[in-house]
């Protein structure tokens, strides 16, 4: 089947008050609960959030398994690793030297500010912690919000490339708008609910991967009705 042409609109439109919530309900009915983010501990989720930058999740899973086999998936055990051994363990995730540095940057941040304790880190107020995380070299808004939402259970909606692609095509905002503008759009039109933010983002990822591609399959997309 030949994909249809992308829906790209030059101007945004007014968002109806319950539209985003209705979109979520449609996606939930279509796909069920997505049970995302996959990770057994807060630290595993944080490591995954850093490793998933510029790579597919399947590659991250391989790197996580490598760290588990080496028994290096705790802050203390990973911090004891030098740069090169850590890079070797996470090689399946790609850009492994860069990502090893980013992991070590986070571990240094955790040690200096919170004595290596994730529990202590997540006691900090969400907006203050977000500001601090964004000062860590290698952690941008999407990664910071993934850490806050999925590892810290703090209500920050995660914006990724799928979110921008899907909802720009639905004319909710210009795709080139800032991360902060996109996040404000979602957080101002949705209840401030951690479980909702969690599953909604997971639903968006699935629609982005399976339907709203660069050449989308709009005819079978559950969000077709909203165009």
């Amino acid at each position: 089947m030949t994909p249809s042409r992308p829906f790209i609109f030059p101007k945004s439109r007014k968002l109806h008050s319950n539209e985003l919530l209705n979109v979520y309900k449609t996606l939930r009915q279509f796909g069920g609960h997505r049970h995302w983010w996959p990770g057994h501990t807060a630290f595993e989720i944080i490591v995954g959030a850093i490793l998933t930058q510029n790579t597919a999740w399947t590659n991250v899973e391989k790197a996580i398994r490598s760290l588990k086999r080496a028994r290096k998936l705790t802050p203390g055990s990973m911090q004891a690793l030098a740069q090169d051994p850590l890079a070797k363990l996470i090689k399946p995730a790609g850009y492994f030297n860069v990502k090893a540095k980013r992991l070590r940057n986070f571990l240094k941040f955790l040690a200096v500010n919170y004595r290596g304790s994730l529990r202590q880190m997540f006691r900090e107020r969400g907006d203050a912690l977000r500001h601090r995380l964004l000062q860590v070299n290698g952690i941008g808004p999407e990664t910071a919000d993934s850490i806050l939402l999925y590892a810290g259970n703090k209500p920050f909606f995660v914006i990724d490339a799928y979110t921008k692609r899907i909802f720009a095509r639905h004319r909710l905002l210009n795709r080139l708008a800032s991360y902060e503008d996109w996040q404000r759009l979602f957080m101002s039109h949705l209840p401030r609910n951690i479980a909702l933010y969690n599953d909604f983002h997971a639903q968006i990822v699935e629609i982005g991967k399976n339907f709203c591609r660069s050449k989308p399959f709009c005819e079978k997309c559950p969000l077709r009705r909203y165009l």
Side-chain angles (χ1 to χ4, degrees), residues 37 42-57 60 63-64 67 78 86 90 93-110 118 121 133 136-140 142-144 146-147:
W37 186 296
F43 186 63
E44 182 177 337
I45 291 169
I46 291 168
V47 171
I50 294 172
L51 293 182
T52 199
Q53 297 171 9
N54 302 307
T55 194
W57 183 254
V60 176
I64 294 288
L67 289 165
M78 188 177 289
L86 177 57
I90 64 169
Y95 302 98
F96 47 90
N97 287 317
V98 172
K99 291 179 181 179
K101 288 180 182 177
R102 291 174 179 174
L103 286 170
R104 286 170 61 81
N105 289 340
F106 172 77
L107 289 166
K108 182 179 179 181
F109 162 81
L110 184 67
L118 291 177
M121 184 181 84
L133 284 169
V136 179
N137 194 319
I139 294 183
E142 182 182 340
T143 303
S146 296
I147 291 170

Side-chain angles (χ1 to χ4, degrees), residues 4-218:
S4 57
R5 292 183 178 180
F7 283 86
I8 301 176
F9 298 90
K11 295 181 179 179
S12 59
R13 59 178 174 81
K14 184 177 180 180
L15 183 65
H16 302 305
S17 58
N18 291 321
E19 186 170 349
L20 284 179
L21 194 56
N22 290 335
V23 165
Y24 169 70
K25 290 176 180 178
T26 298
L27 294 177
R28 178 66 178 265
Q29 184 176 15
F30 177 78
H33 194 281
R34 297 291 179 182
H35 303 287
W36 189 256
W37 186 296
H40 295 97
T41 66
F43 186 63
E44 182 177 337
I45 291 169
I46 291 168
V47 171
I50 294 172
L51 293 182
T52 199
Q53 297 171 9
N54 302 307
T55 194
W57 183 254
T58 52
N59 296 327
V60 176
E61 288 178 319
K62 293 175 184 176
I64 294 288
R65 286 197 295 269
S66 174
L67 289 165
K68 285 182 176 179
R69 285 195 298 268
R71 300 182 183 275
K72 300 299 181 183
L73 200 52
T74 64
S77 60
M78 188 177 289
Q79 191 170 30
L81 277 176
Q83 166 80 20
D84 289 345
L86 177 57
K88 185 177 180 180
L89 286 171
I90 64 169
K91 190 173 182 178
Y95 302 98
F96 47 90
N97 287 317
V98 172
K99 291 179 181 179
K101 288 180 182 177
R102 291 174 179 174
L103 286 170
R104 286 170 61 81
N105 289 340
F106 172 77
L107 289 166
K108 182 179 179 181
F109 162 81
L110 184 67
V112 169
N113 294 283
Y114 306 102
R115 299 181 181 179
S117 170
L118 291 177
R119 182 175 296 180
Q120 184 177 335
M121 184 181 84
F122 285 126
R123 285 198 192 108
E124 187 158 6
R125 199 178 65 192
D127 53 353
L129 178 54
R130 186 178 192 271
H131 177 76
R132 283 192 167 195
L133 284 169
L134 291 174
Q135 309 308 307
V136 179
N137 194 319
I139 294 183
E142 182 182 340
T143 303
D145 290 333
S146 296
I147 291 170
L148 290 164
L149 176 64
Y150 292 108
N153 291 313
K154 295 181 183 293
F156 289 86
F157 199 92
V158 178
I159 303 297
D160 61 8
Y162 291 128
T163 310
K164 294 178 182 180
R165 178 190 295 169
I166 294 167
F167 293 97
R169 285 174 172 166
H170 286 257
R171 296 183 294 156
L172 298 193
L173 198 63
N174 188 304
R175 190 171 179 177
L176 299 179
S178 70
Y179 185 98
E180 289 72 23
D181 285 341
W182 276 101
Q183 188 179 61
R184 191 177 302 114
L185 176 76
F186 278 81
M187 292 182 67
S188 64
H189 286 86
L190 290 171
R192 200 170 178 84
N193 182 285
I194 295 167
L196 171 63
Y197 288 2
N198 183 316
D199 193 50
F200 199 169
H201 177 241
Q203 302 288 349
I204 289 170
V205 170
E206 287 300 312
I207 292 300
K209 290 194 305 186
N210 296 312
F211 296 99
C212 202
R213 305 172 183 176
S214 55
K215 294 182 179 180
F217 294 92
C218 297

